[in-house]
Amino acid sequence: MFDLQNILRNNIKNLVPYSSARDEFKGEASVYLDANENAFGSPLDKAYNRYPDPMQYRVKMRLSEIKGVPARNIFLGNGSDEAIDILFRAFCNPGVDNVILVPPTYGMYEVSANINDVETRKVPLTEDYQLNLEGISEAIDKNTKLIFICSPNNPTGNSIDRDDIETLLANFNGIVVVDEAYINFSRQKTFIQELTEYANLVVMQTLSKAWGLAGLRIGMAFASEEIIEVMNRVKPPYNINEASQELALKALQNTDLVNLWIKELLAERDKLVLKLKDFDFVLDIYPSDANFILVKTTDANGIYNFLVQHGIIVRNRTKVELCEGALRITIGTPDENQKLLETLQQYK
Ligand SMILES: Cc1ncc(COP(=O)(O)O)c(C=O)c1O
């Protein structure tokens, strides 16, 4: 049985979190002399002299409407990368605990594990980029705290079989993190609606992809109230700056535009896949549920360098396990995709 108290680090269990001025007084006042801010203002058009809301209440309320999940089940991080790091710091004892990764997958899970001195146990995906459940089950021991599943997966682009993820959720006594950074491009349903079913589920999403706000650095984690409370305790007090909160709130009113972009992008993805298949150096293009495609080629290094020479940058993934010969190509605007195709015509 999953019990949060069993997997929480003792130092976090006993942690007295920092209490900021904005935590201690929440009402309206006319004179704020409590946070050592500059009362004169900011040398900008807009006043940024006050610390931001540490719990990002207004942004969470808007996200709650969009996602259909209460604000108390939402954590916001300085990008999902911060949420990943916080999970390590809250649940994994350095030098003792381990986590399961299923490569090829998003690289930050491993980097974050290494930074936190946490062992990674790698159970590669199968040839068709799905979970090896038996391998995962064998790799789990009493010190396994987290399993990271990226779906749709980066860099392969495919979604991971839903039943397999549910098998892990139902049987693993640690936390299963389902990273849905690319979910807006997917035909699959989000796992957010399973939060009421599984106490050990953390779903991560981000405003960096479909929402077009990578520069603002806002990542989301959705989980039980208990897990969110732990993540809030561990995070730096003012982890989302005021400008990002304001701009995110404004952008989150623009769902129609984002949905239109997603539709256009998916049409562009289909077009690009069809055209790329005509090149004889393209061996395979994997089915994608994301805003990129993984293209297996006869010569990833040669094509990559050729594109660089022509000012076009894609991601060379040929050194990644199970991705030999593969380039990961983000879907661009129609003009950018056309330029990519025209340049590839010239590749010999
Ligand atoms: C699967 C996955 N998760 C998380 C991230 C990072 O997102 P953020 O910009 O919110 O830190 C990325 C970025 O490429 C990603 O591919």
Side-chain angles (χ1 to χ4, degrees):
M1 262 291 281
F2 173 77
D3 180 347
L4 188 66
Q5 294 309 313
N6 288 345
I7 67 159
L8 203 51
R9 288 173 63 188
N10 274 335
N11 60 317
I12 303 300
K13 221 181 269 180
N14 301 325
L15 181 73
V16 179
Y18 177 72
S19 181
S20 70
R22 292 293 168 270
D23 282 318
E24 286 182 11
F25 179 80
K26 288 203 175 75
E28 287 293 319
S30 54
V31 180
Y32 286 97
L33 303 175
D34 58 347
N36 298 346
E37 298 149 333
N38 185 340
F40 293 84
S42 323
L44 290 169
D45 296 341
K46 230 175 153 181
Y48 285 113
N49 52 327
R50 300 297 178 185
Y51 282 102
D53 173 5
M55 291 300 165
Q56 310 99 17
Y57 183 72
R58 291 199 312 151
V59 182
K60 283 182 188 168
M61 287 309 286
R62 178 63 189 134
L63 283 170
S64 164
E65 284 172 11
I66 295 174
K67 304 287 176 186
V69 67
R72 61 178 181 277
N73 295 103
I74 306 175
F75 167 86
L76 294 185
N78 186 2
S80 342
D81 287 344
E82 184 179 51
I84 295 168
D85 180 63
I86 284 176
L87 290 172
F88 279 103
R89 288 198 279 149
F91 297 111
C92 301
N93 289 294
V96 177
D97 290 331
N98 66 73
V99 300
I100 308 277
L101 305 183
V102 291
T105 193
Y106 180 49
M108 268 312 282
Y109 313 138
E110 180 164 19
V111 174
S112 230
N114 290 340
I115 290 169
N116 288 288
D117 191 18
V118 171
E119 181 197 347
T120 54
R121 298 193 170 178
K122 292 184 191 152
V123 184
L125 295 175
T126 57
E127 287 286 319
D128 57 349
Y129 298 146
Q130 290 298 330
L131 298 179
N132 169 1
L133 283 184
E134 213 170 290
I136 292 175
S137 157
E138 280 164 18
I140 292 171
D141 70 10
K142 66 179 190 346
N143 292 325
T144 307
K145 296 299 181 68
L146 308 169
I147 301 178
F148 284 91
I149 308 292
C150 185
S151 182
N153 188 35
N154 176 6
T156 58
N158 64 299
S159 293
I160 303 296
D161 192 286
R162 197 176 183 89
D163 290 343
D164 285 354
I165 298 178
E166 293 213 37
T167 300
L168 288 180
L169 282 162
N171 293 291
F172 178 50
N173 289 332
I175 288 177
V176 178
V177 183
V178 182
D179 186 344
E180 295 186 337
Y182 300 98
I183 193 72
N184 303 72
F185 306 106
S186 170
R187 288 153 296 185
Q188 308 298 322
K189 281 188 305 187
T190 169
F191 263 84
I192 288 181
Q193 61 222 51
E194 309 301 334
L195 285 175
T196 45
E197 194 75 26
Y198 301 106
N200 59 341
L201 170 64
V202 173
V203 180
M204 292 202 305
Q205 294 187 4
T206 178
L207 297 187
S208 298
K209 308 295 175 185
W211 280 95
L213 299 169
L216 297 191
R217 310 303 304 128
I218 297 188
M220 304 160 257
F222 304 91
S224 71
E225 228 177 309
E226 292 72 28
I227 293 179
I228 297 297
E229 190 275 323
V230 168
M231 295 180 78
N232 281 332
R233 236 186 308 155
V234 174
K235 82 179 180 67
Y238 302 112
N239 61 329
I240 311 285
N241 70 66
E242 179 64 23
S244 287
Q245 291 193 40
E246 279 171 15
L247 291 169
L249 202 53
K250 204 167 157 195
L252 288 168
Q253 305 305 325
N254 243 333
T255 38
D256 288 349
L257 178 63
V258 172
N259 286 333
L260 187 75
W261 278 342
I262 292 170
K263 254 177 134 171
E264 275 184 35
L265 182 134
L266 296 184
E268 276 299 304
R269 186 181 71 193
D270 291 348
K271 251 169 51 191
L272 191 63
V273 167
L274 270 182
K275 299 240 171 83
L276 284 171
K277 278 186 174 158
D278 284 344
F279 292 108
D280 52 11
F281 52 78
V282 169
L283 298 175
D284 204 0
I285 303 176
Y286 296 96
S288 169
D289 255 341
N291 65 339
F292 57 84
I293 46 177
L294 191 71
V295 183
K296 193 152 193 177
T297 67
T298 51
D299 179 17
N301 292 332
I303 299 166
Y304 175 81
N305 291 330
F306 180 79
L307 288 173
V308 170
Q309 281 161 20
H310 289 79
I312 297 176
I313 315 300
V314 297
R315 201 88 197 265
N316 188 353
R317 299 281 82 184
T318 192
K319 291 213 177 94
V320 174
E321 190 177 356
L322 293 174
C323 295
E324 296 78 16
L327 298 172
R328 194 194 70 190
I329 303 178
T330 305
I331 311 303
T333 62
D335 281 354
E336 288 171 335
N337 301 331
Q338 188 56 32
K339 191 165 173 222
L340 171 74
L341 289 166
E342 282 167 11
T343 308
L344 286 173
Q345 304 272 9
Q346 298 164 38
Y347 178 74
K348 297 276 180 306

